[in-house]
Amino acid sequence: MDEVDYEIFGTEMQYVEVELDPGEAAVGEAGAMMYMQDGIEMDTVFGDGSQQGGLFSKLLGAGKRLLTGESLFTTVFYNQGGGKRRVAFAAPYPGKIVPVHLAEVGGTLICQKDAFLCAAKGVSLGIAFQKKLGVGLFGGEGFIMERLEGDGWAFVHAGGTLLERTLAPGERLRVDTGCVVAFQPTVDFDIQYVGKIKSALFGGEGLFFANLSGPGKVWLQSLPLSRLANRILSASSAGLGRGKDEGSLLGGVALGDLFGGDD
């Protein structure tokens, strides 16, 4: 595992600079690179580049990313120079870049499918199946989320303002399903039926909440991409008449909004 240093710049539209020693490398989501200094060479690979072995192993790693809706490929940035070099990765929309040292959270982080931005080379990008039927159907992320494993730095993106909370054993948060960014595997993720049809139909909050129960750390976002997209669509001339308020049948939203709140 490469031990990289980093620095985050910006307030609402952030980017992260990753500093690489000679021979070190970082892996970035396809299209996330902002700039890189001379001496850094990039190589597009199947999966996350952490797979050892032959072609089958690499195809398997890439296939996992396809299941999460991500590109089959990532780009690995190698420092081939004689001194420290920097490569930067930009957030895709307004929000915060969240640095997570995987060793400090037990080596594994479960996150929403499009949250990953970049990581030190050696971090494994896999899939986390949701075994609970309700979570898969109504959790907003489907049955598959992304699993980051390793003992180095990984960077994920949260829309809007970030909330970090460490839940005590048994402590529970009820969250809009689209606002979940990431959580430790020790956190129990379940879905709760709101039970109030009037609120679901006219309040715009959907029929289900995500229940996050401790112990463990959770990361929440105030602006899911789906919510931002809905607002832009509603404000555009093409979107006029499609929906005034999220999740409200009066606004004419889709059935998915009713179930998931944002997705």
Side-chain angles (χ1 to χ4, degrees):
M1 179 69 62
D2 289 347
E3 285 293 333
V4 301
D5 297 317
Y6 74 90
E7 191 171 2
I8 294 175
F9 297 89
T11 54
E12 304 306 323
M13 287 296 294
Q14 294 187 323
Y15 67 94
V16 55
E17 279 188 351
V18 177
E19 187 175 76
L20 303 174
D21 291 329
E24 285 187 336
V27 57
E29 186 57 77
M33 193 275 286
M34 177 180 172
Y35 81 89
M36 58 183 181
Q37 292 183 314
D38 283 343
I40 291 182
E41 301 293 335
M42 64 179 187
D43 185 21
T44 300
V45 299
F46 270 127
D48 54 27
S50 66
Q51 291 81 24
Q52 302 295 324
L55 178 62
F56 178 77
S57 177
K58 294 178 180 178
L59 288 175
L60 182 61
K64 290 179 180 179
R65 286 180 49 77
L66 192 63
L67 287 175
T68 65
E70 302 286 3
S71 169
L72 281 172
F73 301 92
T74 56
T75 305
V76 181
F77 299 85
Y78 299 91
N79 182 1
Q80 307 283 30
K84 294 180 180 293
R85 297 288 188 273
R86 289 194 166 203
V87 57
F89 303 90
Y93 57 94
K96 301 297 180 185
I97 294 175
V98 188
V100 181
H101 199 285
L102 295 178
E104 296 176 356
V105 296
T108 301
L109 184 71
I110 308 298
C111 58
Q112 62 160 309
K113 289 177 289 190
D114 58 354
F116 174 72
L117 184 64
C118 61
K121 189 174 184 299
V123 171
S124 172
L125 311 180
I127 56 177
F129 285 105
Q130 291 297 335
K131 299 177 182 177
K132 297 179 180 178
L133 183 63
V135 175
L137 290 176
F138 307 118
E141 296 296 331
F143 287 96
I144 299 174
M145 299 182 76
E146 200 159 35
R147 179 189 297 272
L148 309 183
E149 293 182 294
D151 57 8
W153 284 107
F155 302 88
V156 297
H157 180 255
T161 300
L162 174 72
L163 169 64
E164 292 186 31
R165 180 73 60 86
T166 299
L167 301 178
E171 183 180 359
R172 186 177 64 171
L173 279 182
R174 292 191 294 175
V175 183
D176 183 286
T177 55
C179 292
V180 178
V181 176
F183 52 88
Q184 287 183 267
T186 54
V187 173
D188 182 68
F189 180 26
D190 205 350
I191 293 298
Q192 179 184 2
Y193 173 57
V194 173
K196 295 182 178 179
I197 297 296
K198 184 175 69 176
S199 297
L201 294 180
F202 306 115
E205 301 298 343
L207 283 173
F208 300 91
F209 287 140
N211 260 336
L212 300 172
S213 301
K217 194 169 185 178
V218 300
W219 290 261
L220 307 178
Q221 60 186 353
S222 67
L223 182 61
L225 178 60
S226 57
R227 185 176 296 180
L228 176 62
N230 282 343
R231 293 298 185 189
I232 293 174
L233 186 62
S234 297
S236 69
S237 57
L240 289 177
R242 293 188 180 183
K244 182 178 180 181
D245 298 309
E246 285 178 63
S248 169
L249 289 183
L250 290 179
V253 299
L255 188 60
D257 292 329
L258 178 64
F259 285 144
D262 291 306
D263 294 306

